[in-house]
Structure formats: structure tokens, C-alpha cells
Amino acid sequence: VVKFVRDPFARCYSGYLVVNQPFLLTKQDHWALPTRQRILKYLVGRSTNIEYAFSFAQYLEWLGVVEMGSVDPHLRPQFTPLERHLSVRVAKIEQIYENLNFLEDEFNLPRRAADVPEIFDSGHHHSTRADLSREEGLRLLRLGVPLQRSPKFPYVKFNAEMAVGSEYEEIIRSVFSDDFAAYGYDEP
């Protein structure tokens, strides 16, 4: 079994961005809409319209108290108890090119990774990054992302480098503790 995993810090922030996508206001059948409504109900104390923005810290607060089995798989930890019974090889998304080349060689697959670079692009990973210092990025995370923003909105690049030592590190490590342990994200 080969399992592709993502840095828990970056994955957690990406989940936050998904539940704050402006198109959710008009796309009633998207999986993130009920999650967004649950988060707002937790934060406000009752059901409310979905037009309100919330910060990354508020999202993490909700993640820290919600029962993970009731959370959409896009947002919850990647590790599953089934993995304890399988031999799982981990392939980190952060080294996707190298991992795909290795798998192509090992299993004698066609060389697609080198020939088709567009497979490394994903609309799911918010790629427009702001040119901000770490301190500026952390301050912006406290504000949250606006619900009305341009398609070229410059997102904070939230990853381990930004998270470690921040106010967000402890809660993310707590919620995603199995991911950190199972996938070696604390190893150098």
C-alpha cells in the first residue's frame, strides 16, 4: 500500500481555506457547506447564515472540540486505524515529483512524472501566495480570509516553518497527533 500524505500543518490550513471559499455561498451541494454551517453554529451558538467570516484560530478551536468521526475526511487527520494492520509506504506530497519517479522506476511504470509536469498542479492547493514575513502572515491568520475576494487573493503560506512556535502549533499537533507520529513529519 502506498499512501500519499500531506504535511499536517499545510493540510489543516488548506481545509480552513476550503470551508471559506466564496463559491460555497452559492453551491448548496458542496461537502464543505454543512461543515461551514457547523463551525458557525459552534462559534455563534446557534444556526446562522453562512456570510460570516471566521479566523484560522476559530477554525482550529472548532477542530479541537469536534468529534473527528463526524468531520468530513477532507478535514480530519489522514491516519486511519486500518493502517496499523497494513504495511503502508508513505509518499509525502511535498516531495511528489521524487516519489512518483521512484514509484515509476520500482514498478516499471511509464515515465509520466517527468513528461507531464501539469500533474503537479492542483486547484485544491491555493497557490497564490503573499510575499509576507512570518510575523505578517501570522497577523493575517488572526483576521481570517475575507469571503469576498478576487481570484488572485494572496494567501498566507502556512506550513511547518510558519507553524512551529506559533499560537497554532499546539492545537494542530494535538488534533493531528497520529499524522505526525505515523508519517514522520517531525523528523528532519
Side-chain angles (χ1 to χ4, degrees):
V1 175
V2 176
K3 182 171 184 173
F4 289 88
V5 297
R6 188 169 183 204
D7 168 20
F9 291 118
R11 187 167 185 273
C12 181
Y13 184 62
S14 179
Y16 164 73
L17 292 176
V18 169
V19 297
N20 282 291
Q21 284 290 359
F23 75 86
L24 286 180
L25 301 175
T26 60
K27 197 150 176 115
Q28 297 296 314
D29 59 341
H30 193 276
W31 65 265
L33 186 60
T35 300
R36 181 174 174 69
Q37 291 168 336
R38 285 179 64 194
I39 295 167
L40 285 167
K41 183 176 182 179
Y42 168 79
L43 294 171
V44 176
R46 62 182 179 92
S47 295
T48 186
N49 293 332
I50 61 169
E51 291 87 13
Y52 294 98
F54 50 86
S55 72
F56 186 47
Q58 290 171 312
Y59 171 73
L60 292 175
E61 179 185 331
W62 173 78
L63 265 185
V65 299
V66 71
E67 197 281 305
M68 278 299 150
S70 71
V71 175
D72 188 273
H74 290 91
L75 306 178
R76 65 182 168 218
Q78 300 163 95
F79 180 81
T80 64
L82 177 61
E83 292 176 55
R84 291 187 181 104
H85 308 287
L86 300 171
S87 175
V88 177
R89 185 186 318 172
V90 173
K92 295 180 179 178
I93 293 291
E94 296 78 25
Q95 292 96 32
I96 187 72
Y97 185 78
E98 295 85 359
N99 282 316
L100 288 179
N101 280 330
F102 180 79
L103 291 170
E104 289 169 349
D105 289 343
E106 182 177 354
F107 296 106
N108 199 27
L109 299 170
R111 297 296 299 188
R112 302 303 295 171
D115 299 336
V116 190
E118 60 270 14
I119 67 173
F120 301 106
D121 296 330
S122 170
H124 289 84
H125 302 157
H126 310 272
S127 58
T128 307
R129 304 292 181 196
D131 185 21
L132 302 167
S133 71
R134 181 177 186 273
E135 293 73 27
E136 291 168 329
L138 290 171
R139 282 195 299 268
L140 284 177
L141 288 175
R142 289 181 200 107
L143 297 174
V145 294
L147 290 178
Q148 294 186 356
R149 55 190 185 263
S150 82
K152 295 185 183 216
F153 178 81
Y155 296 97
V156 172
K157 182 178 181 177
F158 189 82
N159 55 20
E161 186 178 321
M162 183 172 283
V164 172
S166 76
E167 63 198 80
Y168 309 109
E169 180 182 13
E170 185 178 329
I171 184 76
I172 294 171
R173 284 191 185 280
S174 173
V175 171
F176 293 89
S177 61
D178 287 340
D179 288 2
F180 283 104
Y183 306 134
Y185 275 98
D186 278 330
E187 297 171 8

